[in-house]
Each structure stands twice: as structure tokens, then as C-alpha cells.
Amino acid sequence: MPISAAQRHAAKHIDAIRSDLSAWTATIFDFGETAWREYQSADWYAKTLRSHGFTVEEGSAGMPTAFAAHWTNGPGPSVGMYAEYDAVPGNCQAASTCKEPRAGLNEHAGGHTDPHSGLGVGALGGLLATKAAMERHGVTGTLRFTGEPAEKVRGSKPIHAAKGYYDGLDGMLSFHPFYMLPMCNTVRWDTHCGAAYSMIYRFICDQPEDWGKSDGAPIPQSHSAIRAPGANDALMMMYMSSKALRDSMLPHQGGWSISEAILTAGQATADNLPAGLAEIQYMMRMPDLAMAEQATAFLDRNAAHAAQMSGCSYERHWVCKSRPGLANHVMANVVWDSLLAVGAPVWDEEAKAKAREIQSNLGLDPMTEPFIDEMTALVDPKEAEAILRRDLPPSQLNSTSDDYTDMSWHAPLARFYIARPALKAPSGYRYPGWVMNALGGIPATIDPMVATAAKVLAFSALRLMEDAKARKAARDEFETRTGGGVGGSKWTPPLCDYDPPIHFRWPEYVTTQRGRDWWIPTQPNS
């Protein structure tokens, strides 16, 4: 496809603000805020968007760290983009070539792994460039931009979807840094991400005396009496039984998983008092909704039995229920055309020097070309699809999970990946996890991904704005795949029937007399 004047202007705009994009990426990287607690990050985005002329609704859909922004240049098409900005607990890493946490913290605090810092700012750059081009060249239409917290627990998009925040869009553009081959500098074709369910089981031991009831007389010395094991025991029985039975629950191929995190435990203050409260979160990545429902029933049974055995009651609270993704080949081709026009990211000698420094600090021989070759190559979407399908059974329609999939049921959507920095490894060597985290924060190594993603987003958005034929074809395909669009005969409605799970004890930063700290004391050792 020929490049339009508006697209050329957008590319120049991104080049002009590249230093801003770099500084903004570093800002969000340094915040390192985790799911449902991204207060500084959400506030930064809201202020930045307002300063560029967007109207911003903060706390959208009842989520304090979410937002919904829009800008219009008159009647016309509407295109959506979004930012993610949550980090991961236990991955605090400085933008450094050696293993070290960010200043004033240690490795147990939050840090960006994917990195969502680059994801969000890349999207923001594409948004601002699209707006600048629309103003310069008189392109009419509306831009929507949502702030999506808690992606690591698949949190916000199912909720935004259920509340209608994606309805009415002519196209939704979903960018992610590459995280597995062959999904690097390419677009998803048929095999989109699958379903994801996440829930918290809360065990409560508020009537421990009932556990030891019998027809006999009470024992006068209560410390010698039978007593309820309590909530900690319930949690541990739930944890161990579910883990032990996992092989009976999951298929042995396809990449599906269940992982868990213990959020709270204890509350007992003496050895003769049972623990009163404990919580465990499960995250399930499944090929389809039927399997997710079966796995949920399995966990429910385990929770009920663990509670009964330990003198507790239990509650199940939803964190997310997200649908598998819906393909749209027209949208995929729109983005692929844009990626062909923009080209793959390019890493200069400064970036390579940083990479070699990491290798040297790990005791490895620095390489002349330290980055993997795939970072600077484009992969045709159909070729990527064929490679992806090699390891999947024919009946499996989806692979891995990400909650962008909920957007795909409300608007024609394309999901694409731009290379993030990744190092070549000597034979048999595996880099420690901090290396990828650091490469996602060092400006020289992450900025090429951010700028490239911004250009692909802007080119794709402007193509949709300017090409009525492409818009109609994307909408027609969406109508066909859903059996009539939103509410159609083949449409899967939102699964979100729960309130935002914002009230749990999610890991977060706190301010104390010691200064800013993690939710448990994690100041660096003196």
C-alpha cells in the first residue's frame, strides 16, 4: 500500500518526539507499580493525555487505576488503542547492565518484565502521532485510548468490555512486545490467545469452637481441647491438593497452565489460636471456556473439602473471566501493511555496547552481534501461524492467554508484536531473568521497540481512518464471525459478572517513616 501524506507526517512526528518517548518509558519503568495499585502510572497518563487535548475519565468502570480518554476531529471513523502499565512483584530491576534493584528498593518489589512500560508508551506515541496527522491533514474521526491496569492478572479489559468501553469502534489496535518466537515483528492470524480465569479463594475461621463439637462434655482445660486447624491449614490443603492433582486436570500438550499466589495468611497471635484468614489466588490459562469451567469446578471442590477439614468457611471471588480471541484477517493485513512500510526496529552500536556489557558482567565473552537475529526480521503472519501450529493439536483453536481478547468481541481487532531486545546465548546457557527486565528499561535497548510500535500503530490507525473500503471489509468480517456483530448468533457475551477486585491485599508500595517501601519491608540490606 502507498504511504499517505498523513502517515508520513505521523512518522516524522514520532521521530520528533523520540526523546520524549524515551523519557516517558523510563518514568513508567521506574514507577514499577503492580496490579490494581498503579496509582502514579495512571495519574501520569491522565495528566499527559489532558495536556495533549484529550478528555479523560479517570477511574473508568469502577477501577481506580483505569482511565478512558477520547479526542475527536469531527464526524468520522473511530479507532481504539490502549496502554498497560502494571509491573510484576518480585522483579525489581534497575535500568542497568548488572543485577541490581531500583534505588531504595530490593529485588522483591515490583518491576516490569514484558515490559508494559514500553508497551504503554509505544501506544501513546502512536496515538499522539495519529492525532497530529489528523489535525495537519484534516482527517476527521475519533480516537479512543483506554488505560488498562492489572493485565498480569487479566484484570481490566473484561470489566471495560462488559461496561461498553469498546463498543462502536471501527477498529481496535493491540500491540505487545514480543515474548515468544515466532511472534516477533508480525501479526496474529488465526490462532489468537485463549480464555483466562482467575479467582481468589478466601478461607475464614471465625467459629473455631464449632470444629470440636461433640455430644460429650467440654474439656475444662481449653488449651488441651481439640481445636480447629484454621485458615492457614485450609490454604495449605487447598494448595497441595490442587497441585498434586494438576496432572489429572490439564492436557499434556498445548501450553495451558494453572499458577497460584498466596495473598494473605495468618492473623493468629498465639500458638493456641487458629489462623482466622488466608487467601490464595489462582490464574488459569485455558484453550476454551468449557475447559476453564471444568477446572473451576475442580478447584471449587478442593476448596470446599479443605474448608470442611480445617474448621473454615470459604468464599470464591473472581479476579477475571476473559474470552478467547476472535480473528480478523482484514485488520491483520492492515497492520501487516503498516509493518512492511515501517520496517523492523534497528539497534545501534550504543545498544549493542550495553548488551555486550551485560554479557561481560555475567562472565561471558561479549559477542560482536549480541542480539538475536529475529529482532530485525519481519515474519509474514501466515508463516508465523504455520510455525505456531506445529506444536498444537488440530483441535486447539487458541494459544497462550492475554485479556486483549475481550476487545475482539466488540470491535474488529488486530494483535501485533514488535521485537524487544533479547540476547544471543552461548550453547547450553540460559540468561537469568533480570537480563530481560534490564533490557526493557535501558533507553538504548528499549527505545527502538517503542518508536517502531508507535509508527506501526499510527500507520494502521490512519489507514483505517482514510480507507473506507478497508473499514467496511473489517466490519463485514467481524459481522460474519460473530453472526451479526455485538449480540449476534455466534457472539460470545462478556463473562464479567463481578465487581472490580480492588479490595484485596494486592502487593503495593507504602509510605512509612522509612520512606517509600514495598508492602513488606524490603529496603536494601545495609
Side-chain angles (χ1 to χ4, degrees), residues 427-466:
S427 178
Y429 182 81
R430 292 179 66 90
Y431 286 99
W434 69 263
V435 172
M436 287 290 278
N437 298 350
L439 289 168
I442 297 170
T445 57
I446 195 61
D447 288 354
M449 181 203 78
V450 173
T452 301
K455 289 181 181 180
V456 174
L457 284 162
F459 274 43
S460 302
L462 290 165
R463 167 78 181 281
L464 290 170
M465 290 285 183
E466 297 182 297

Side-chain angles (χ1 to χ4, degrees), residues 12-47:
K12 292 179 181 178
H13 185 83
I14 290 166
D15 289 336
I17 66 169
R18 189 156 177 165
S19 62
D20 289 334
L21 296 178
S22 178
W24 296 347
T25 302
T27 294
I28 302 301
F29 181 87
D30 285 339
F31 286 157
E33 296 173 301
T34 53
W36 302 117
R37 300 293 185 257
E38 312 94 334
Y39 302 112
Q40 290 180 287
S41 302
D43 181 66
W44 181 91
Y45 271 103
K47 289 178 178 176

Side-chain angles (χ1 to χ4, degrees), residues 483-516:
V486 173
S489 60
K490 296 187 284 186
W491 185 67
T492 300
L495 305 174
C496 177
D497 54 1
Y498 50 89
D499 294 327
I502 58 177
H503 302 297
F504 290 93
R505 194 187 178 196
W506 300 105
E508 64 181 320
Y509 297 95
V510 295
T511 300
T512 72
Q513 290 183 337
R514 299 183 304 278
R516 188 171 186 247

Side-chain angles (χ1 to χ4, degrees), residues 203 211 233-234 237-238 241 297-312 314:
F203 296 97
W211 191 78
D233 291 72
M237 283 189 278
M238 176 70 174
S241 61
F298 167 93
L299 292 174
D300 283 350
R301 291 196 299 270
N302 285 358
H305 290 301
Q308 186 176 27
M309 291 174 67
S310 55
C312 295
Y314 84 94

Side-chain angles (χ1 to χ4, degrees), residues 259-274:
S259 57
E260 63 282 301
I262 296 173
L263 297 181
T264 60
Q267 318 307 323
T269 58
D271 63 359
N272 62 342
L273 296 176

Side-chain angles (χ1 to χ4, degrees), residues 80-84 146 148 156-158 160-161 166-167 169 172-174 323-326 402-413 415 478 491:
M81 307 178 205
Y82 63 89
E84 295 168 7
T146 50
E148 305 290 354
S156 66
K157 298 186 193 78
H160 269 149
Y166 312 131
D167 291 348
L169 289 169
M172 173 61 79
L173 300 170
S174 174
R323 296 163 280 184
L326 188 68
D402 187 295
D403 62 354
Y404 81 86
T405 54
D406 263 86
M407 297 172 161
S408 71
W409 293 94
H410 297 263
L413 175 142
R415 170 74 161 186
F478 179 76
W491 185 67

